């Protein structure tokens, strides 16, 4: 766990695999309130290799976001365990993670640059370094000209890029993405997917990417975990080859059909 | 249009009130000590602002208000934040807050006179009390209403509970808290004047009750107008301060 404890350094184009392995073992989770117990996950087991991009797809509300929250240490599992790099995932702020959400969740009172820098400051970088790294990552996502803008002045796609930049600027070893492109228009989404792929190649974190867009999962993922409806279990784990990613290829269509059939959305005769 | 909307129409409203006022006095032949005509009140006001005693009374009332207000806002926001953040604290504090907040500040006036006499301290305590409950309740609500995504973002960025409470929740709730603080200023000002009516050694309220007991009705009404103007000024000042710091939307 050596690199985790150090403040984030500047980006390096030749960063080696910096991710670790995430193992999810027999994890179940239920939300308990005074009136009822709502099961969200039921005995989920799979693992993500270091540097692998794992897309989790499943029907709406099946508990995908819960799984991300567990991996992030935002909440504890009801049973089972999550192991990151040989250690149990601790509930509370975890230094190895970066996270982006469907609603980018930018702080409206901070400028774009400050929004990216605040996480770096929280993790122990000094003001100058935080500012420099934030500027660097904002240029990477093409927002160099919007650093002094406030979130209310951004389009949905731009806000989402800031959200991604904020997560990546922490140089996380585990990147958790919760439908980050679900709220942007289809055209912007395709563009953001390509940008994300390039960024992931460059920084090589381990990634858990939750989405309900199967074509997005094929375009971005190394492996797809197909979940059942709530309470979610793992239905199948589908590997994706580089050849499958080309949206105009027959392999892509085949992979799409296979995944959708597994989800029970279509039947292939 | 601008001239009409900004000056002529508001002026027309004021004029109508003055005309009705004057007409009432004339029609019912009201004596001066019941309802003086506007002009007599204006004269009384002009004489008032020319005296040292008047400005001292305004100063005393403002001092009592400002001290009590600052104390009430500071404690109200702090306790409201704690209620919003901690379930344990909320469960313990809610019955106390809920039972006390319906004992309106004015119900405390006799007790504050017993405890503090006619000193400034009693008024300050009363304003702090009135402001405190407005701020506790609205701060706790504002904190509870903060977008949960922001909390998740903060935790994911590595913030602990206190850091999250201070730099995310309180900051996100600040616009709501600021508008509550503005409403609380009006309530606090009312509390000062009411307390001074009942027992005070100085202040605008005392000035007015003194004028009333010597049947100087024009001075009474002039004093009431001053209370209104000062209150509006204070409220505008707080609104302006809030905009100065929170204008990022």
């Amino acid at each position: 766990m050596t690199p985790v404890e150090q403040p984030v350094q500047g980006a390096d184009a030749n960063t080696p695999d910096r991710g670790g392995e995430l193992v999810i073992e027999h994890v179940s989770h239920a939300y308990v309130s005074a009136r009822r117990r709502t099961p969200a996950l039921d005995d989920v087991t799979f693992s993500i290799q270091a540097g692998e991009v794992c897309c989790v797809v499943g029907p709406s509300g099946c508990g995908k976001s819960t799984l991300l929250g567990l991996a992030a240490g935002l909440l504890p599992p009801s049973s089972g365990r999550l192991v990151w790099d040989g250690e149990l995932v601790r509930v509370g702020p975890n230094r190895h993670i970066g996270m982006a959400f469907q609603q980018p969740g930018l702080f409206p009172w901070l400028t774009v640059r400050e929004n990216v820098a605040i996480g770096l400051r929280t993790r122990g970088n000094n003001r100058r370094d935080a500012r420099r790294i934030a500027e660097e990552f904002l240029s990477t996502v093409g927002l160099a000209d919007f650093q002094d803008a406030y979130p209310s002045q951004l389009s949905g796609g731009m806000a989402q890029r800031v959200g991604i930049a904020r997560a990546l600027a922490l140089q996380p070893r585990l990147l958790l993405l919760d439908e980050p492109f679900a709220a942007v228009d289809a055209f912007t989404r395709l563009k953001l997917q390509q940008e994300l792929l390039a960024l992931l190649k460059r920084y090589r974190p381990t990634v858990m990417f939750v989405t309900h867009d199967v074509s997005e999962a094929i375009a971005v993922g190394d492996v797809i975990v197909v979940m059942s409806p709530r309470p979610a279990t793992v239905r199948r784990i589908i590997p994706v080859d580089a050849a499958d990613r080309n949206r105009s290829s027959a392999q892509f269509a085949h992979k799409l059909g296979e995944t959708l059939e597994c989800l029970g959305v279509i039947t292939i005769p | 249009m601008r001239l009409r909307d900004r000056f002529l129409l508001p002026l027309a409203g004021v004029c109508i009130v003055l005309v009705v006022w004057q007409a009432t006095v004339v029609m019912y032949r009201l004596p001066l000590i019941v309802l003086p005509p506007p002009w007599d009140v204006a004269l009384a006001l002009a004489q008032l602002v020319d005296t040292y005693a008047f400005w001292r009374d305004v100063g005393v009332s403002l001092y009592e208000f400002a001290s009590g207000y600052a104390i009430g806002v500071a404690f109200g926001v702090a306790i409201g934040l704690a209620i919003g953040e901690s379930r344990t604290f909320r469960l313990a504090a809610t019955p106390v807050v809920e039972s006390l907040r319906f004992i309106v500040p004015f119900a405390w006036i006799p007790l504050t006179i017993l405890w503090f006499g006619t000193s400034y301290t009693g008024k300050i305590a009363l304003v702090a009390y009135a402001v405190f409950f407005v701020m506790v309740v609205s701060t706790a609500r504002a904190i509870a209403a903060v977008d949960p995504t922001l909390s998740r973002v903060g935790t994911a960025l590595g913030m602990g509970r206190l850091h999250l409470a201070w730099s995310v929740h309180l900051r996100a709730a600040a616009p709501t808290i600021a508008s509550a603080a503005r409403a609380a200023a009006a309530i606090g000002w009312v509390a000062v004047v009411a307390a001074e009516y009942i027992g005070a050694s100085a202040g605008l309220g005392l000035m007015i009750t003194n004028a009333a007991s010597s049947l100087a009705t024009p001075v009474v009404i002039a004093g009431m107008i001053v209370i209104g103007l000062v209150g509006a000024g204070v409220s505008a000042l707080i609104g302006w301060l809030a905009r100065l710091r929170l204008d990022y939307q």
Side-chain angles (χ1 to χ4, degrees):
Chain A
M1 297 239 9
T2 33
V4 186
E5 298 308 320
Q6 286 158 13
V8 175
Q9 298 302 311
D12 178 349
N14 303 312
T15 318
D17 246 10
R18 47 179 294 128
E21 189 189 18
L22 178 69
V23 180
I24 299 167
E25 285 177 352
H26 304 293
V27 164
S28 298
H29 190 76
Y31 293 98
V32 183
S33 70
R35 295 223 185 90
R36 61 164 169 261
R37 187 171 180 279
T38 317
L41 297 171
D42 181 26
D43 196 17
V44 172
T45 299
F46 67 94
S47 60
I48 309 176
Q49 310 301 316
E52 192 175 58
V53 180
C54 171
C55 290
V56 179
V57 298
S60 286
C62 79
K64 300 182 299 265
S65 299
T66 305
L67 194 57
L68 271 189
L70 293 170
L74 294 178
L75 63 166
S78 304
S79 67
R81 52 186 216 148
L82 294 99
V83 180
W84 167 256
D85 253 8
E87 285 181 32
L88 275 181
V89 172
R90 200 172 47 87
V91 174
N94 281 305
R95 296 185 62 103
H96 62 271
I97 63 155
M99 206 166 178
F101 305 87
Q102 177 175 344
Q103 301 304 325
L106 303 180
F107 299 129
W109 57 90
L110 297 178
T111 63
V112 164
R113 185 197 301 112
E114 290 164 342
N115 260 290
V116 178
I118 189 171
L120 292 157
R121 293 278 292 143
T122 305
R123 295 199 185 180
N125 291 265
N126 66 36
R127 201 176 289 274
R128 234 191 27 233
D129 285 351
R131 189 187 159 108
R132 180 176 54 75
I133 298 169
E135 286 176 355
E136 185 184 315
F137 275 84
L138 282 168
S139 323
T140 311
V141 297
L143 288 175
D145 295 338
F146 288 89
Q147 312 205 20
D148 292 307
Y150 282 92
S152 57
Q153 297 165 296
L154 303 180
S155 69
M158 285 154 85
Q160 210 47 263
R161 282 193 182 93
V162 178
I164 301 273
R166 178 173 62 185
L168 281 173
L170 300 171
Q171 302 244 337
R173 302 183 58 223
L174 175 60
L175 181 64
L176 302 167
L177 302 171
D178 191 356
E179 306 195 21
F181 308 141
V184 297
D185 64 273
F187 184 76
T188 309
R189 183 188 304 182
L190 287 177
K191 210 158 171 290
L192 290 174
Q193 284 166 9
Q194 295 314 308
E195 291 175 19
L196 179 69
L197 256 182
L199 290 167
L200 294 182
K201 274 213 185 83
R202 185 165 166 192
Y203 298 109
R204 308 285 299 157
T206 301
V207 182
M208 174 148 52
F209 186 155
V210 160
T211 177
H212 56 237
D213 179 343
V214 174
S215 63
E216 180 167 273
I218 299 168
V220 179
D222 297 317
V223 65
I224 301 175
V225 173
V226 180
M227 309 287 276
S228 71
R230 175 183 282 251
T233 53
V234 176
R235 262 213 185 135
R236 203 152 126 208
I237 297 175
I238 302 175
V240 182
D241 301 327
D244 299 333
R245 283 182 211 236
N246 181 353
R247 281 176 193 274
S248 56
S249 68
Q251 286 104 307
F252 184 88
H254 179 77
K255 195 59 76 176
L256 189 63
E258 184 187 348
T259 313
L260 287 172
E261 191 188 26
C262 182
L263 278 164
V265 186
I266 58 167
T267 43
I268 295 174
Chain B
M1 284 308 266
R2 201 180 147 77
L3 182 77
R4 193 190 79 148
D5 289 358
R6 291 206 55 174
F7 297 104
L8 296 184
L9 288 178
L11 195 65
V14 175
C15 287
I16 289 169
V17 171
L18 291 177
V19 165
V20 171
W21 178 358
Q22 179 75 43
T24 313
V25 173
V26 173
M27 260 167 52
Y28 296 98
R29 301 176 187 205
L30 295 175
L32 200 64
I33 59 162
V34 176
L35 183 63
W39 181 245
D40 287 63
V41 173
L43 281 181
L45 193 58
Q47 277 165 15
L48 265 184
V49 298
D50 211 23
T51 60
Y52 167 77
F54 167 78
W55 291 109
R56 197 202 54 184
D57 284 330
V58 172
V60 166
S61 294
L62 275 177
Y63 164 75
E64 291 166 346
F65 167 78
S67 314
Y69 182 73
I71 295 168
V73 168
F75 280 89
V77 171
I79 303 289
L81 180 63
I83 289 176
E85 292 293 333
S86 153
R87 200 181 103 87
T88 313
F89 195 88
R90 175 169 60 247
L91 292 176
T94 305
V96 181
V97 170
E98 285 299 313
S99 51
L100 281 178
R101 99 183 157 100
F102 291 104
I103 305 179
V104 292
F106 314 111
W108 284 89
I109 291 177
L111 206 54
T112 58
I113 291 173
L114 268 176
W115 288 349
F116 304 108
T118 57
S119 68
Y120 300 160
T121 320
K123 317 297 179 292
I124 293 172
L126 206 66
V127 177
Y129 175 90
V131 169
F132 174 80
F133 283 101
V134 177
M135 295 315 294
V136 165
V137 173
S138 47
T139 303
R141 274 197 199 133
I143 297 288
V146 170
D147 180 0
T149 305
L150 296 185
S151 307
R152 295 171 69 199
V153 166
T155 310
L157 289 176
M159 295 179 184
R161 260 184 94 178
L162 284 179
H163 191 178
L164 199 63
W166 183 257
S167 356
V168 176
H169 296 164
L170 194 59
R171 196 62 185 75
T176 318
I177 294 174
S179 60
R182 198 171 169 184
I187 293 167
W189 183 239
V190 169
V192 168
V193 174
E196 284 177 354
Y197 272 172
I198 292 173
S201 44
L204 277 172
L206 180 73
M207 182 202 92
I208 291 169
T209 43
N210 282 346
S213 51
S214 56
L215 301 181
T217 316
V219 179
V220 172
I221 296 178
M224 288 162 61
I225 291 171
V226 171
I227 286 170
L229 290 176
V230 173
V234 165
S235 174
L237 177 72
I238 287 162
W240 177 76
L241 284 174
R243 270 198 305 284
L244 209 63
R245 288 290 290 119
L246 300 172
D247 213 2
Y248 51 79
Q249 310 278 19

